[in-house]
Amino acid sequence: MRSGPSHLGPFDPGFADLPAEMPIFPLTNALLLPGGRLPLNVFEKRYLAMVRAALSTPQRLIGMVQPVEANADRNMQADFVPAVHRIGCAGRIVSFEETPDGRYQLILSGLIRFRIRQELPLAKGGFRRVLPDFQPFAHDMAEHEFQLADRPRFLAVLQEYLKTRQARLDWKGIEEVADDELVVAMAQMSPLEPEEKQSLLECADLDAVVEMMTAMFEVHGATASGGEHRLH
């Protein structure tokens, strides 16, 4: 799914260096794609422990997954383990800040998708761990060229969709954003439903993401719904 020449940076691990096990963070509607950035505000005790564990490893990876039941992650009981989708995306901690009130503020950089091969017993800190299978998504870390076949149409459909959702987007400078960055950002930030975002995550490549996302925008754009959402 990665496009560009390559979004891999000098600190990103190679495919051979990916870990055999990894913590997962179940979070409804939090879509991370390879090449994308996802800010996180972490405050639950078990997930504070998860962040500390991830920071202690060379790769600093956290697996972002969505619960099968939307918003199941809002149940903060320590022994509650909701079912999660089997496909997620591993994000590398590229920014980390402690807050005076005991939270961690992170930015994850999407590296590669994975399929959960097996879930392990809860870690000592109470967070979940899995054995990830990265092999089916090895191409996420390869170099690809990507270009929108019809960028004006994509932007027009996006604009109509956002109007129906009463969402606002700063269009200034959007023409300067590269096609791959635009598609990834809109997939992650658009106010789509959790299952729709999961479908985008499971697309084979960015061309498939564009096709599916355009269809979703057109369907939603046919009927105005919901309150106002702001894209940051």
Side-chain angles (χ1 to χ4, degrees), residues 36-40 91-96 105-109:
R37 294 287 179 110
L38 180 66
L40 292 173
R92 191 170 69 86
I93 299 174
V94 295
S95 177
F96 168 79
Q105 293 181 333
L106 316 175
I107 295 179
L108 294 185
S109 176

Side-chain angles (χ1 to χ4, degrees), residues 22 24 64-68 82-89 113-120 128-133 136-137 198 201-202:
M22 181 175 62
I24 58 170
M64 295 303 301
V65 294
Q66 288 204 99
V68 173
V84 296
H85 287 284
R86 307 303 290 178
I87 295 177
C89 183
R113 291 172 291 170
F114 64 93
R115 183 182 296 276
I116 296 176
R117 185 156 52 90
Q118 179 184 339
E119 181 152 1
L120 300 171
R128 297 168 69 174
R129 302 173 299 149
V130 300
L131 300 180
D133 182 6
F137 306 103
Q198 185 66 29
L201 177 67
E202 297 182 14

Side-chain angles (χ1 to χ4, degrees), residues 182-222:
L182 174 65
V183 171
V184 168
M186 290 303 97
Q188 291 191 182
M189 297 194 305
S190 294
L192 295 165
E193 297 300 319
E195 287 296 327
E196 292 173 321
K197 290 198 171 186
Q198 185 66 29
S199 296
L200 293 178
L201 177 67
E202 297 182 14
C203 284
D205 51 33
L206 280 186
D207 289 308
V209 170
V210 171
E211 182 178 353
M212 180 175 289
M213 188 161 44
T214 301
M216 290 175 178
F217 289 164
E218 289 176 334
V219 169
H220 284 291

